[in-house]
Amino acid sequence: MATETPTREAPAAGRDASARGSGAGELAREVSTLQASLLGRLHTEMAGGDPALFAAAAQRLAEEFGSVTATAVGTLWQEQGRASAPPAAAEGEHPSLYRPGQMRRRLDQLLECRRRYEQPFALVVFDVEGPGAREDGGGGRQTALAVVGAALGESVRLVDETFRLEEDALCVLAPGQGAVGGVQMAERLLGALDELERAGGLRIGISAGVVASPEHGDDADALLHKADEAMWRARAVGQPVGVGALGD
């Protein structure tokens, strides 16, 4: 079961979240002020014209600014979240893998942006398997995770974030993506691992479970559970990638 290793939050976590919320609110107000200014100018320019045309133009403007606000706030929360994250990964892990405990905070941030600004995101859980991932005295499991972490770095976008869960499980959070984008990410990783096997003979397999919000809901625990179930269902039928059921 790919659940996150429990960690105890520091008292400063609440203050950090408050600071992020304050910054996001200020940014949203600035964008709203700009939108109101442009709407006023639009009304002046179209004065005496067809009210239906003005209403349509105002709606398009609102949709565009909604998308801008969601993207800007999501990026702000991400950058501020990274600033408060531990500066280095645990010994033996690839630097791109955040330590356990960071993922749940970031997931909660994305869900808040989803509820406020309707910005979707994908969540992909990976389980590392195969001969290259077996535990041994030489640190085979850590080596496999480092290899997968490096391959993920070439398979995800700059705004996507990779996290270590328990044992040999990883999770990627991808803002602005749906389930289709999550599947494409997993397929890129599979291709990268295939190339590594052909080049160096290190056989590492993965199973992936993909969900997205709002497609699969807006509850953090339910999303993680659905992603985990999708991963195991895919493995049971011999497929590398599974997508969460919409009706669960």
Side-chain angles (χ1 to χ4, degrees):
M1 185 79 173
T3 55
E4 188 181 17
T5 304
T7 57
R8 181 174 298 176
E9 297 289 348
R15 295 193 296 272
D16 292 341
S18 176
R20 287 192 292 271
S22 176
E26 182 179 351
L27 177 59
R29 284 191 295 272
E30 290 178 358
V31 175
S32 178
T33 299
L34 177 59
Q35 179 183 353
S37 174
L38 290 177
L39 191 59
R41 291 178 59 184
L42 181 66
H43 183 268
T44 300
E45 293 175 2
M46 299 184 67
D50 187 347
L53 292 177
F54 173 73
Q59 181 177 355
R60 288 196 299 271
L61 184 66
E63 291 173 352
E64 291 296 330
F65 268 85
S67 176
V68 169
T69 301
T71 302
V73 171
T75 301
L76 176 65
W77 278 63
Q78 177 178 322
E79 292 302 320
Q80 291 178 331
R82 282 178 172 173
S84 63
E91 184 177 356
E93 292 184 1
H94 191 270
S96 67
L97 305 183
Y98 285 74
R99 291 181 182 178
Q102 299 297 319
M103 185 277 290
R104 186 53 182 262
R105 286 196 290 274
R106 179 61 179 143
L107 177 56
D108 288 341
Q109 292 171 4
L110 288 175
L111 284 170
E112 185 64 22
C113 284
R114 230 297 303 162
R115 297 184 189 104
R116 291 188 180 187
Y117 309 110
E118 299 184 353
Q119 182 187 38
F121 68 91
L123 184 157
V124 186
V125 173
F126 296 98
D127 189 67
V128 182
E129 56 184 342
R134 290 176 183 165
E135 190 70 76
D136 57 45
R141 186 180 301 277
Q142 294 299 326
T143 300
L145 284 170
V147 170
V148 173
L152 268 173
E154 300 298 323
S155 306
V156 302
R157 304 167 304 160
L158 290 177
V159 297
D160 299 334
E161 295 172 272
T162 305
F163 300 87
R164 172 81 177 270
L165 300 181
E166 65 176 14
E167 297 181 351
D168 48 4
L170 304 173
C171 175
V172 175
L173 296 176
Q177 293 279 10
V180 172
V183 170
Q184 292 171 344
M185 177 206 306
E187 290 175 343
R188 288 194 297 271
L189 175 59
L190 287 167
L193 292 177
D194 285 344
E195 291 181 4
L196 287 173
E197 181 178 350
R198 288 194 296 269
L202 179 63
R203 183 156 61 94
I204 301 173
I206 61 166
S207 296
V210 180
V211 295
S213 180
E215 295 170 61
H216 297 92
D218 289 324
D219 180 80
D221 291 328
L223 287 171
L224 289 167
H225 181 70
K226 288 180 179 181
D228 199 61
E229 281 192 335
M231 180 187 69
W232 286 104
R233 280 200 302 266
R235 179 178 290 187
V237 297
Q239 298 294 323
V241 184
V243 179
L246 295 176
D248 287 356

